[in-house]
Amino acid sequence: MRFWIGNGINKNKQMVEHLQHYGVISSMKVAEVMETIDRALFVPDGASAYVDSPMAIGYNATISAPHMHATCLQLLEQNLQPGMHALDVGSGTGYLTACFAIMVGPQGRAVGVEHIPELVASSIKNIEKSTAAPLLKEGSLSVHAGDGRQGWPECAPYDAIHVGAAAPEIPQALLDQLKPGGRMVIPVGNMFQDLKVVDKNMDGSISIRSETSVRYVPLTSRDAQLRGY
Protein backbone atom coordinates (compact mmCIF):
# COMPACT_ATOMS: atom_id res chain seq x y z
CA MET A 1 0.00 0.00 0.00
CA ARG A 2 1.43 3.32 -0.99
CA PHE A 3 -0.29 6.63 -0.51
CA TRP A 4 1.55 8.69 -3.07
CA ILE A 5 4.52 8.64 -5.39
CA GLY A 6 6.99 11.23 -4.37
CA ASN A 7 8.04 13.52 -7.18
CA GLY A 8 6.02 16.45 -5.92
CA ILE A 9 7.01 15.87 -2.34
CA ASN A 10 10.29 17.44 -1.48
CA LYS A 11 9.55 18.63 2.00
CA ASN A 12 9.03 16.79 5.21
CA LYS A 13 5.99 18.89 6.14
CA GLN A 14 4.27 18.06 2.85
CA MET A 15 4.86 14.36 3.50
CA VAL A 16 3.10 14.69 6.84
CA GLU A 17 0.25 16.70 5.28
CA HIS A 18 -0.25 13.94 2.70
CA LEU A 19 -0.45 11.34 5.47
CA GLN A 20 -3.06 13.50 7.19
CA HIS A 21 -4.97 13.96 3.93
CA TYR A 22 -5.13 10.19 3.37
CA GLY A 23 -6.31 9.62 6.94
CA VAL A 24 -3.15 7.79 8.06
CA ILE A 25 -2.41 10.47 10.66
CA SER A 26 -5.32 11.74 12.71
CA SER A 27 -3.30 12.73 15.79
CA MET A 28 -1.92 16.26 15.98
CA LYS A 29 0.86 15.03 18.27
CA VAL A 30 2.04 12.42 15.73
CA ALA A 31 1.91 15.01 12.93
CA GLU A 32 3.94 17.43 15.03
CA VAL A 33 6.62 14.84 15.87
CA MET A 34 6.94 13.65 12.26
CA GLU A 35 7.32 17.27 11.17
CA THR A 36 9.98 17.81 13.86
CA ILE A 37 12.14 14.83 12.84
CA ASP A 38 13.19 15.26 9.21
CA ARG A 39 13.10 11.85 7.50
CA ALA A 40 15.77 13.03 5.00
CA LEU A 41 18.38 12.82 7.77
CA PHE A 42 17.62 9.10 8.22
CA VAL A 43 17.64 7.70 4.68
CA PRO A 44 20.70 6.80 2.58
CA ASP A 45 22.34 9.70 0.72
CA GLY A 46 20.66 10.38 -2.59
CA ALA A 47 17.47 8.51 -1.68
CA SER A 48 14.08 10.17 -2.17
CA ALA A 49 13.38 10.70 1.49
CA TYR A 50 9.70 11.54 1.29
CA VAL A 51 8.40 8.82 -1.04
CA ASP A 52 5.89 6.57 0.70
CA SER A 53 7.81 3.33 0.39
CA PRO A 54 10.33 1.33 2.42
CA MET A 55 13.99 1.70 1.50
CA ALA A 56 17.06 -0.51 1.72
CA ILE A 57 19.61 0.85 4.20
CA GLY A 58 22.30 -1.82 3.70
CA TYR A 59 22.98 -5.04 5.65
CA ASN A 60 19.69 -6.54 4.35
CA ALA A 61 17.80 -4.03 6.49
CA THR A 62 15.20 -1.41 5.54
CA ILE A 63 13.66 1.79 6.81
CA SER A 64 9.87 1.49 6.84
CA ALA A 65 7.60 3.60 4.65
CA PRO A 66 6.35 6.86 6.21
CA HIS A 67 2.78 5.51 6.46
CA MET A 68 4.03 2.56 8.58
CA HIS A 69 5.98 4.88 10.90
CA ALA A 70 2.86 7.04 11.24
CA THR A 71 0.69 3.98 11.95
CA CYS A 72 3.05 2.72 14.67
CA LEU A 73 3.35 6.17 16.28
CA GLN A 74 -0.44 6.47 16.39
CA LEU A 75 -0.87 3.00 17.89
CA LEU A 76 1.70 3.83 20.59
CA GLU A 77 0.80 7.47 21.20
CA GLN A 78 -0.83 6.92 24.61
CA ASN A 79 2.25 4.96 25.69
CA LEU A 80 4.69 7.66 24.55
CA GLN A 81 3.59 10.36 26.98
CA PRO A 82 6.22 12.60 28.59
CA GLY A 83 8.27 10.70 31.16
CA MET A 84 7.48 7.23 29.79
CA HIS A 85 9.99 4.57 28.66
CA ALA A 86 10.06 3.34 25.05
CA LEU A 87 12.05 0.57 23.34
CA ASP A 88 12.67 0.41 19.57
CA VAL A 89 13.86 -3.05 18.49
CA GLY A 90 15.74 -3.11 15.19
CA SER A 91 16.25 0.63 15.33
CA GLY A 92 18.02 0.78 11.95
CA THR A 93 18.71 4.37 10.89
CA GLY A 94 17.34 5.72 14.20
CA TYR A 95 14.31 7.52 12.75
CA LEU A 96 11.57 6.06 14.92
CA THR A 97 13.79 6.02 18.02
CA ALA A 98 14.27 9.78 17.54
CA CYS A 99 10.48 10.25 17.21
CA PHE A 100 9.96 8.27 20.44
CA ALA A 101 12.55 10.43 22.23
CA ILE A 102 10.78 13.64 21.21
CA MET A 103 7.47 12.23 22.48
CA VAL A 104 8.69 10.95 25.86
CA GLY A 105 10.88 14.03 26.34
CA PRO A 106 13.88 14.65 28.58
CA GLN A 107 12.22 13.07 31.64
CA GLY A 108 11.46 9.90 29.66
CA ARG A 109 13.69 7.25 28.12
CA ALA A 110 13.91 6.14 24.48
CA VAL A 111 16.15 3.16 23.74
CA GLY A 112 17.06 1.77 20.32
CA VAL A 113 18.56 -1.71 19.97
CA GLU A 114 20.10 -2.74 16.65
CA HIS A 115 22.30 -5.79 16.03
CA ILE A 116 24.31 -4.34 13.13
CA PRO A 117 27.05 -2.20 14.80
CA GLU A 118 27.59 -0.12 11.63
CA LEU A 119 23.90 0.88 11.66
CA VAL A 120 24.14 1.78 15.35
CA ALA A 121 27.09 4.09 14.59
CA SER A 122 25.42 5.73 11.58
CA SER A 123 22.08 6.09 13.41
CA ILE A 124 23.80 8.02 16.19
CA LYS A 125 25.29 10.35 13.55
CA ASN A 126 21.82 10.77 12.00
CA ILE A 127 20.26 11.61 15.37
CA GLU A 128 23.05 14.12 16.08
CA LYS A 129 21.92 16.11 13.00
CA SER A 130 18.24 16.03 14.05
CA THR A 131 16.13 17.91 16.58
CA ALA A 132 16.52 14.89 18.91
CA ALA A 133 20.27 15.62 19.29
CA PRO A 134 19.99 17.31 22.73
CA LEU A 135 18.14 14.25 24.09
CA LEU A 136 20.98 12.01 22.88
CA LYS A 137 23.50 14.31 24.54
CA GLU A 138 21.55 14.44 27.83
CA GLY A 139 21.10 10.66 27.84
CA SER A 140 17.31 10.28 27.66
CA LEU A 141 17.86 8.83 24.14
CA SER A 142 20.37 6.04 23.48
CA VAL A 143 21.07 3.44 20.80
CA HIS A 144 22.83 0.17 21.58
CA ALA A 145 24.29 -2.75 19.64
CA GLY A 146 22.57 -5.95 20.72
CA ASP A 147 20.08 -8.68 19.91
CA GLY A 148 16.76 -6.88 20.10
CA ARG A 149 14.91 -10.16 20.63
CA GLN A 150 16.31 -9.95 24.18
CA GLY A 151 15.07 -6.37 24.59
CA TRP A 152 17.15 -4.01 26.73
CA PRO A 153 16.58 -4.98 30.39
CA GLU A 154 18.57 -2.04 31.80
CA CYS A 155 15.79 0.49 31.10
CA ALA A 156 12.83 -1.89 31.52
CA PRO A 157 9.95 -1.99 32.08
CA TYR A 158 8.71 -0.17 28.98
CA ASP A 159 5.43 1.64 28.39
CA ALA A 160 5.93 1.27 24.62
CA ILE A 161 7.83 -1.33 22.59
CA HIS A 162 8.10 -1.20 18.80
CA VAL A 163 9.63 -4.03 16.79
CA GLY A 164 10.74 -3.14 13.27
CA ALA A 165 11.12 -6.67 11.89
CA ALA A 166 8.80 -9.67 11.71
CA ALA A 167 9.08 -12.34 14.39
CA PRO A 168 7.74 -15.89 13.93
CA GLU A 169 6.24 -15.40 17.40
CA ILE A 170 6.36 -12.67 20.04
CA PRO A 171 9.67 -12.94 21.97
CA GLN A 172 9.05 -13.73 25.65
CA ALA A 173 11.80 -11.31 26.77
CA LEU A 174 9.87 -8.43 25.17
CA LEU A 175 6.61 -9.48 26.84
CA ASP A 176 8.47 -9.65 30.17
CA GLN A 177 9.91 -6.13 29.68
CA LEU A 178 6.49 -4.60 28.88
CA LYS A 179 5.05 -2.66 31.80
CA PRO A 180 1.49 -3.45 32.99
CA GLY A 181 -0.57 -0.89 31.05
CA GLY A 182 2.10 -0.96 28.33
CA ARG A 183 1.72 -1.67 24.61
CA MET A 184 3.92 -3.39 22.05
CA VAL A 185 3.53 -3.13 18.27
CA ILE A 186 5.19 -6.03 16.46
CA PRO A 187 4.89 -7.66 13.03
CA VAL A 188 4.31 -11.42 13.48
CA GLY A 189 4.52 -14.15 10.85
CA ASN A 190 6.78 -15.56 8.17
CA MET A 191 5.56 -15.16 4.57
CA PHE A 192 2.28 -13.60 5.67
CA GLN A 193 2.55 -11.12 8.52
CA ASP A 194 0.16 -9.17 10.71
CA LEU A 195 1.02 -6.05 12.66
CA LYS A 196 0.02 -7.15 16.17
CA VAL A 197 -0.96 -4.76 18.95
CA VAL A 198 -0.04 -6.38 22.26
CA ASP A 199 -1.45 -4.81 25.42
CA LYS A 200 -0.31 -5.90 28.88
CA ASN A 201 -3.24 -5.41 31.22
CA MET A 202 -2.78 -4.12 34.76
CA ASP A 203 -3.12 -7.70 36.14
CA GLY A 204 -0.26 -8.81 33.86
CA SER A 205 -2.47 -10.67 31.38
CA ILE A 206 -1.90 -10.08 27.66
CA SER A 207 -4.41 -9.00 24.99
CA ILE A 208 -3.43 -9.25 21.32
CA ARG A 209 -5.19 -7.95 18.22
CA SER A 210 -4.21 -7.70 14.57
CA GLU A 211 -4.10 -4.17 13.16
CA THR A 212 -3.22 -4.75 9.49
CA SER A 213 -1.33 -7.03 7.08
CA VAL A 214 2.30 -6.02 6.58
CA ARG A 215 5.57 -7.08 4.95
CA TYR A 216 8.69 -6.62 7.09
CA VAL A 217 12.15 -8.18 6.92
CA PRO A 218 12.60 -11.05 9.42
CA LEU A 219 13.63 -10.50 13.05
CA THR A 220 16.60 -12.81 13.11
CA SER A 221 20.20 -13.20 14.24
CA ARG A 222 22.83 -10.83 12.94
CA ASP A 223 24.59 -13.70 11.10
CA ALA A 224 21.41 -14.85 9.38
CA GLN A 225 20.59 -11.28 8.37
CA LEU A 226 24.04 -10.64 6.91
CA ARG A 227 23.84 -13.94 4.99
CA GLY A 228 20.53 -12.74 3.54
CA TYR A 229 18.42 -14.80 5.97
Side-chain angles (χ1 to χ4, degrees):
M1 178 158 62
R2 209 183 271 186
F3 287 94
W4 67 89
I5 304 297
N7 294 343
I9 300 198
N10 49 14
K11 294 196 190 71
N12 200 63
K13 188 169 169 52
Q14 281 176 291
M15 178 190 81
V16 175
E17 285 167 357
H18 274 76
L19 289 168
Q20 289 175 300
H21 175 75
Y22 288 109
V24 180
I25 299 177
S26 53
S27 151
M28 286 312 295
K29 182 73 189 162
V30 170
E32 192 183 300
V33 169
M34 285 183 71
E35 282 180 17
T36 302
I37 299 292
D38 185 356
R39 185 176 164 89
L41 300 172
F42 294 88
V43 300
D45 287 345
S48 307
Y50 309 117
V51 177
D52 195 30
S53 65
M55 265 172 219
I57 57 172
Y59 312 97
N60 293 315
T62 57
I63 180 172
S64 294
H67 78 265
M68 280 312 309
H69 282 148
T71 298
C72 293
L73 286 168
Q74 292 232 148
L75 288 169
L76 290 168
E77 181 180 7
Q78 297 311 312
N79 299 81
L80 293 168
Q81 302 291 328
M84 290 185 172
H85 283 214
L87 174 66
D88 187 17
V89 172
S91 49
T93 68
Y95 174 81
L96 208 57
T97 323
C99 291
F100 288 173
I102 295 286
M103 289 178 85
V104 301
Q107 304 308 312
R109 199 73 175 73
V111 178
V113 181
E114 168 55 58
H115 59 189
I116 308 288
E118 294 86 347
L119 286 177
V120 173
S122 60
S123 70
I124 289 168
K125 289 201 177 84
N126 296 341
I127 292 165
E128 283 169 345
K129 294 179 209 148
S130 79
T131 45
L135 299 167
L136 187 71
K137 198 159 180 256
E138 291 157 18
S140 63
L141 164 56
S142 59
V143 186
H144 308 272
D147 185 343
R149 296 172 296 183
Q150 304 305 317
W152 195 256
E154 193 185 313
C155 300
Y158 296 97
D159 300 276
I161 299 178
H162 167 268
V163 182
E169 61 223 9
I170 300 166
Q172 187 60 45
L174 298 182
L175 287 170
D176 293 345
Q177 289 173 38
L178 195 60
K179 191 184 282 191
R183 171 174 280 192
M184 169 164 39
V185 174
I186 178 170
V188 178
N190 294 308
M191 282 298 288
F192 298 96
Q193 304 161 8
D194 282 316
L195 190 67
K196 300 283 188 188
V197 177
V198 181
D199 288 309
K200 185 178 274 192
N201 304 312
M202 294 316 286
D203 63 3
S205 64
I206 299 285
S207 309
I208 303 176
R209 67 177 172 83
S210 291
E211 173 69 17
T212 183
S213 296
V214 290
R215 282 297 297 275
Y216 279 75
V217 297
L219 183 68
T220 180
S221 69
R222 182 170 66 191
D223 290 346
Q225 183 171 324
L226 291 173
R227 281 199 308 271
Y229 317 117

